[in-house]
Structure formats: C-alpha cells, structure tokens
C-alpha cells in the first residue's frame, strides 16, 4: 500500500466492504460473539512479524489480514453481546473516526482544527442545555456569558473525573496548583464509586484514605442521611471536604444515588457536588427516564460518556461544570477569566483538559446525532432501558433464577440458584459461557454475593435472545454440576 490517494481509495473500499459484511454477520447473530485464541497464535495468524518488519500490505493481502483480524474480535453488534458498558456503535460514528484518522486535526487549539473545535464547543453547549446549565440564546453562542456552564471533551470518563476533581480542589484550595495539595482535604463518596475516583485522589496527592465512605443501603445506593454524620465527623477531625461524589448510575448495578437529596445537602453545607454520570447521564435525553437524574442540576460538575449510551465509538467523554469559571481554574492557580480574552479567532480548549494533543472527539458524537437526531438517541435509550426491565421479568420469574433488584437502567444482575448459592459456581458459569462464545456476559460481586451481570447495549437484543441465554446458562450449569460429581 503506497502512501497515495489511489491506494487509499482502493484499500478503503475493500475495508469498507469487509466491515459491512462484518456488521451484517454480527447483527444476524449466527456466529460466536467471541473466540479467544492465545496471543502467540494470533500474532502468527495475523503475520505480524512479516508486516512489521517488511511492510508491503496491498489490496490482495489486506483482504486476508482483515478476515483474520475481524474473526478475532469481540462482536459488539451481535445481539448476544450483553457484556460491558461500551457502545454498540452507530455506523455514523465509525465514519467520523475514518475522517479524523485521515485528516488528523488535533483541535485542542482552534487553529489545528476550527471545524472540529466548533463541533466540540457546540456539543458541550448541547449537553449543558440538557442539564439546564446553558445560558446562551442559541447553541452556537460561544461568547462568555455570566453564570454560564462550561465543559470540555476528554479521552474517557476517567480523565473527566480527574479534571472535575482538579476543579473542585482549585475551588477549596487554589494554592494547590503551586504549593501542592493540602493534606486536610477529603472527599465523601460511596464505596461503589468508580475506581477512577480512587485513582484521581491518589494522583492529586491525597491518597486513598482521603476517600471517606458514605454508608450505602443493601443495594449499594448512597444513604443521603449518612452524609451529615460523615461530614460532622470530618469537621471534628479538622478535615475539609473537597467534594461529595455521587453515582448516576453505579457500574456494578446500574442503580442511581439520590441526587436531589445529596445536592440539597451539598448546597446547605456549601460543598462541591460531583456527579459521575459516565453511564447514566444519557438518560437526560429521555423524557421517560430522566426522572432517574432528578437533582443532577444541583451538581457543580458532571461527567458524561458519549461512548457508553450515545452509540459513539470509544472514546468521547464530557466533563461539564455549572459555572465555566470553575473549569478555568482547574489547571492553574488563577482562572483565566481574570486575564484578557484571546485576541485571535476562535477559542483554545487546551487549558481545560489534561490532554495536549487531542482527537476530534466531538465529531464522533456529532455524526451519530446528525444521522439520528436527539429523538433517535432518545428512542435507543428508551428501548434498551425498557428491554432490560422485560428481561428482568423473564429471568426473575424463572424458578431457578433470582435477581437482587428491579433494574433502573440497562444493567441487570442475577444468579442461577438451582445448585446452591456458591459464589465460585456463578463465576464458573460466567467463565464457561464466555469460553463457549455463544454469549458474552460479565459478572460482579456485591454484599459478598457473586452475580452474573448483563448490560443491554444493543437494541437488537430481544426476549428471544435472553431466552437463549437462559437455556445456555441451564445447559452450562448442568455440565458443571455433572463434572463436579464425576
Ligand atoms: C465507565 C465509567 C467510568 C470510566 O469511564 P471511562 O470512559 O471508561 O474512562 C467512570 N465512572 C462510571 C460510573 C463508569 O460507569
């Protein structure tokens, strides 16, 4: 493959055909979701040694390479893919990746990609508007408006959490930027907070012990009444609470913390309120489901991943702030709002994100929206949430299964109880199912109980597929049980 447009068009055509076929086959659901070969064998199959040392991929060999590559993938578009919280992408998102990969506009500074930078800023306004934090007259209004919200797109929710909590730190201890983080800072969070919160706290120099766990109920949802005693205890120890972190929703169960009550508490005590909405914030797009996020507008910062519930390829996450000035203070001692506005055209997003070079993240989400409109995404969210509730009914009414709770989102936990309640057995079930490759599911543990877990990311996953999963689990469970006795 020469580095010219003739070869580019020819190979891109071949690859597009292969991908089209791959999507068709995946969606039909006849092949396995996942076949895992050992990496050494895969390296041989893909002829990595030859390609890396010698190059020379061409129109003929690319077909063989693509066939091998695509065979050894996790087939997210398969209706039996009900595993992790990763978007089953809309085809439009892939086209945005293709454009970005070809023209490469790392647009964190405006002049390195004015179109992509404008799309990012517009989408941030769109997300702010969904929360109620946008004060402009139209979404293309990029001027600095008093008390407007702000935000930036990042390479993932983990970086978004880090960015948000740096802003929280700048608010309570602005000297941190030059002098280091004062050691009397803590955060209040539930034990179910995503692990990126613990990483953030360690990265900013506090250490994990600075995360003060707030009591949760038996489903790991934060008890808002537990905030006051936790807060008072910190006060008596001479600690300062940098932020309260809530989940919308939690990774393991897909349940939501009571944002309205937590927000009211934070307002009453003048505390920074951070909502980790990586997965669940997309319910803001659904008139039916957005009640789950009641009170989210009380937050000071929110993270929201497009690459989870907005059909966008990884990665495209947003960190959003109620007051844009708090964002401007995150990575410096003084907010840049104190300085003069830039004289040049456009705006630079560079000061607000951890990243320097940044992909044209917003274009991926833009292409999905441009294809489907907000309504299309709303329908998608409504369908996946609704389907998950009907899958709950199917599984929970089966005598040999039990679900610990009615799902609020598209994440559902359950276990197979016929042969007892042993955690190891559930884990063996999950591992054998994944090994067989007919379904892809995950597993999680809470209250010391191991559950099987599905996340319904694919709106092609229907009741007939879940009935198939039930059959598969029963078959595998009997297989394990028999082999245990022989
Ligand atoms: C997925 C997730 C994250 C991490 O986001 P990434 O984009 O994977 O870095 C953080 N918090 C919650 C609640 C999540 O579900």
């Amino acid at each position: 493959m020469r580095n010219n447009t003739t070869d580019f068009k020819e190979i891109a055509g071949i690859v597009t055909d292969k991908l089209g076929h791959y999507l068709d086959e995946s969606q039909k659901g006849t092949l396995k979701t996942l076949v895992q070969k050992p990496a050494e064998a895969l390296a041989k199959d893909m002829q990595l040694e030859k390609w890396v040392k010698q190059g020379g991929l061409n129109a003929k060999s690319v077909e063989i390479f693509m066939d091998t590559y695509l065979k050894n993938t996790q087939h997210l578009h398969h209706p039996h893919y009900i595993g992790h919280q990763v978007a089953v992408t809309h085809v439009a998102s892939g086209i945005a990746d293709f454009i970005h990969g070809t023209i490469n506009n790392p647009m964190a500074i405006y002049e390195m990609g004015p179109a992509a930078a404008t799309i990012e800023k517009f989408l941030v306004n769109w997300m702010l508007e969904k929360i109620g934090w946008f004060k402009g007259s139209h979404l293309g209004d990029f001027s600095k408006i008093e008390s407007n919200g702000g935000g930036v797109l990042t390479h993932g929710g983990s970086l978004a959490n880090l960015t948000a909590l740096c802003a929280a730190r700048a608010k309570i201890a602005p000297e941190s930027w030059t002098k280091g983080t004062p050691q009397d800072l803590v955060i209040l969070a539930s034990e179910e907070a995503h692990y990126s919160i613990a990483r953030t706290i360690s990265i900013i120099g506090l250490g994990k012990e600075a995360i003060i766990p707030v009591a949760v109920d038996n489903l790991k949802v934060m008890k808002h009444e537990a905030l006051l005693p936790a807060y008072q205890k910190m006060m008596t120890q001479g600690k300062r609470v940098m932020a309260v972190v809530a989940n919308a929703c939690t990774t393991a169960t897909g349940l939501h913390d009571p944002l309205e009550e937590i927000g009211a508490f934070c307002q009453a005590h003048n505390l920074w309120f951070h909502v980790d909405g990586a997965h669940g914030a997309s319910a803001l797009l659904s008139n039916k489901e957005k009640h789950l996020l009641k009170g989210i507008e009380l937050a000071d910062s929110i993270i929201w991943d497009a690459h989870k519930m907005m059909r966008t390829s990884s990665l495209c996450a947003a960190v959003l702030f109620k007051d844009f000035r708090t964002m401007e203070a995150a990575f410096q001692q003084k907010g840049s709002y104190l300085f003069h506005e830039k004289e040049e055209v456009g705006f630079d997003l560079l000061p607000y994100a951890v990243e320097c070079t940044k992909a044209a993240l917003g274009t991926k989400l833009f292409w999905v929206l441009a294809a489907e409109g907000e309504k299309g995404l709303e329908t998608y969210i409504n369908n996946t949430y609704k389907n998950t509730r009907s899958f709950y009914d199917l599984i929970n009414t089966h005598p040999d299964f039990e679900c610990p709770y009615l799902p609020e989102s598209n994440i559902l936990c359950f276990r197979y109880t016929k042969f007892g309640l042993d955690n190891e057995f559930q884990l063996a079930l999950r591992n054998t199912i994944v090994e067989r490759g007919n379904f892809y599911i995950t597993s999680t543990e809470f209250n010391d109980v191991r559950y099987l877990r599905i996340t319904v990311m694919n709106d092609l996953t229907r009741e007939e597929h879940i009935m198939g999963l039930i059959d598969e689990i029963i078959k595998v469970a009997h297989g394990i049980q028999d082999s245990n006795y022989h």
Side-chain angles (χ1 to χ4, degrees):
M1 180 175 185
R2 294 157 303 166
N3 187 24
N4 66 29
T5 52
T6 310
D7 282 21
F8 172 69
K9 289 185 198 168
E10 188 189 11
I11 306 271
I14 295 169
V15 169
T16 308
D17 284 345
K18 288 280 173 202
L19 290 175
H21 180 71
Y22 173 86
L23 288 178
D24 286 340
E25 291 297 304
S26 301
Q27 289 173 350
K28 260 194 255 156
T30 41
L31 37 72
K32 295 200 183 261
T33 56
L34 170 70
V35 180
Q36 291 188 82
K37 268 195 178 181
E40 288 79 4
L42 263 184
K44 276 211 185 96
D45 287 359
M46 290 190 281
Q47 298 185 284
L48 297 188
E49 179 98 16
K50 174 179 139 189
W51 295 128
V52 169
K53 294 271 169 73
Q54 297 162 26
L57 192 72
N58 59 28
K60 214 166 140 51
S61 50
V62 80
E63 295 215 25
I64 301 165
F65 175 79
M66 282 301 289
D67 285 341
T68 314
Y69 184 85
L70 292 175
K71 198 158 84 187
N72 292 286
T73 52
Q74 175 68 269
H75 293 75
L76 273 75
H77 294 80
H78 193 304
H80 292 180
Y81 171 85
I82 26 182
H84 292 289
Q85 304 154 268
V86 176
V88 173
T89 49
H90 193 287
V91 288
S93 176
I95 291 175
D97 279 330
F98 179 55
I99 296 169
H100 173 68
T102 306
I103 65 171
N104 193 29
N105 268 206
M107 34 53 75
I109 49 177
Y110 190 77
E111 57 199 38
M112 285 304 289
T118 302
I119 285 178
E120 168 162 339
K121 201 70 167 163
F122 190 95
L123 287 176
V124 164
N125 282 352
W126 174 74
M127 292 164 116
L128 291 171
E129 188 187 48
K130 295 294 167 207
I131 301 164
W133 288 352
F134 181 65
K135 302 288 191 289
S137 51
H138 59 102
L139 293 179
D141 183 355
F142 304 132
S143 56
K144 291 204 172 185
I145 306 163
E146 185 72 23
S147 79
N148 200 15
V152 69
L153 300 184
T154 70
H155 288 82
S158 304
L159 276 182
N161 272 332
L162 173 63
T163 307
L165 291 177
C166 283
R169 180 181 67 166
K171 177 95 184 283
I172 194 168
E175 74 283 7
S176 303
W177 191 252
T178 39
K179 306 255 184 261
T181 307
Q183 294 300 301
D184 60 345
L185 298 183
V186 294
I187 68 160
L188 302 180
S190 95
E191 64 193 65
E192 283 300 294
H194 189 262
Y195 72 84
S196 58
I197 298 290
R199 284 193 177 171
T200 286
I201 293 306
S202 179
I203 290 167
I204 69 172
L206 282 172
K208 212 178 151 192
E209 286 177 7
I211 304 176
I212 307 305
V214 180
V216 291
D217 68 13
N218 62 345
L219 292 170
K220 303 288 173 188
V221 175
M222 187 187 281
K223 284 187 181 166
H224 63 87
E225 325 83 79
L227 278 166
L228 185 62
Y231 173 67
Q232 283 168 338
K233 192 169 163 204
M234 288 306 108
M235 299 295 281
T236 56
Q237 292 180 10
K239 301 285 189 188
R240 289 185 292 159
V241 174
M242 184 181 97
V244 176
V245 177
N247 297 311
C249 47
T250 64
T251 307
T253 61
L255 298 175
H256 298 72
D257 285 339
L259 303 183
E260 198 168 29
E261 289 83 356
I262 300 169
F265 175 85
C266 290
Q267 280 195 333
H269 299 275
N270 195 23
L271 301 175
W272 185 285
F273 180 28
H274 175 64
V275 174
D276 184 345
H279 184 95
S282 293
L284 283 168
L285 305 178
S286 159
N287 275 319
K288 272 206 198 98
E289 309 292 350
K290 70 177 173 201
H291 65 94
L292 293 164
L293 302 165
K294 203 155 170 264
I296 195 170
E297 70 286 350
L298 299 172
D300 296 283
S301 56
I302 298 172
I303 75 157
W304 180 356
D305 281 0
H307 59 269
K308 285 186 171 159
M309 290 304 288
M310 289 204 275
R311 320 207 67 176
T312 302
S313 66
S314 43
L315 296 159
C316 176
V319 54
L320 304 162
F321 298 88
K322 178 158 48 197
D323 181 339
F324 75 91
R325 292 168 305 178
T326 60
M327 167 178 88
E328 300 197 332
F331 299 126
Q332 51 210 317
Q333 192 169 15
K334 290 180 185 154
S336 63
Y337 57 91
L338 294 173
F339 306 121
H340 294 295
E341 288 234 32
K342 204 175 154 213
E343 304 280 314
E344 308 92 82
V345 185
F347 37 79
D348 292 344
L349 299 161
L350 191 82
Y352 313 127
V354 176
E355 300 98 311
C356 171
T357 306
K358 195 168 94 166
L361 302 173
T363 61
K364 293 129 90 63
L365 174 57
F366 169 75
W367 270 74
V368 177
L369 281 163
E372 291 285 329
E374 306 178 330
K375 270 273 164 234
L377 279 181
E378 177 175 21
T379 304
Y380 164 78
I381 290 158
N382 285 347
N383 285 345
T384 51
Y385 278 39
K386 184 183 81 201
N387 290 348
T388 307
R389 287 189 290 263
S390 74
F391 302 161
Y392 163 86
D393 289 336
L394 261 184
I395 296 172
N396 202 41
T397 50
H398 191 291
D400 296 334
F401 286 82
E402 100 190 351
C403 302
Y405 60 88
L406 180 71
E408 287 181 346
S409 60
N410 57 331
I411 300 174
L412 173 61
C413 296
F414 57 92
R415 59 182 175 162
Y416 181 74
T417 56
K418 182 166 181 182
F419 300 128
L421 302 176
D422 180 36
N423 282 350
E424 290 304 311
F425 189 83
Q426 303 300 320
L427 201 57
L429 264 178
R430 189 264 167 182
N431 292 342
T432 311
I433 285 163
V434 172
E435 237 166 64
R436 284 162 58 91
N438 298 320
F439 289 85
Y440 185 75
I441 64 172
T442 58
S443 130
T444 189
E445 197 172 302
F446 59 94
N447 297 333
D448 298 324
V449 177
R450 174 63 58 179
Y451 292 100
L452 305 174
R453 173 178 175 271
I454 61 174
T455 311
V456 183
M457 302 302 291
N458 194 337
D459 59 351
L460 294 176
T461 305
R462 299 287 160 76
E463 291 201 352
E464 75 234 42
H465 304 112
I466 300 302
M467 296 197 335
L469 174 64
I470 291 174
D471 289 344
E472 174 83 353
I473 292 172
I474 292 172
K475 190 192 278 177
V476 168
H478 281 83
I480 296 172
Q481 184 70 1
D482 289 349
S483 69
N484 283 351
Y485 278 102
H486 294 123

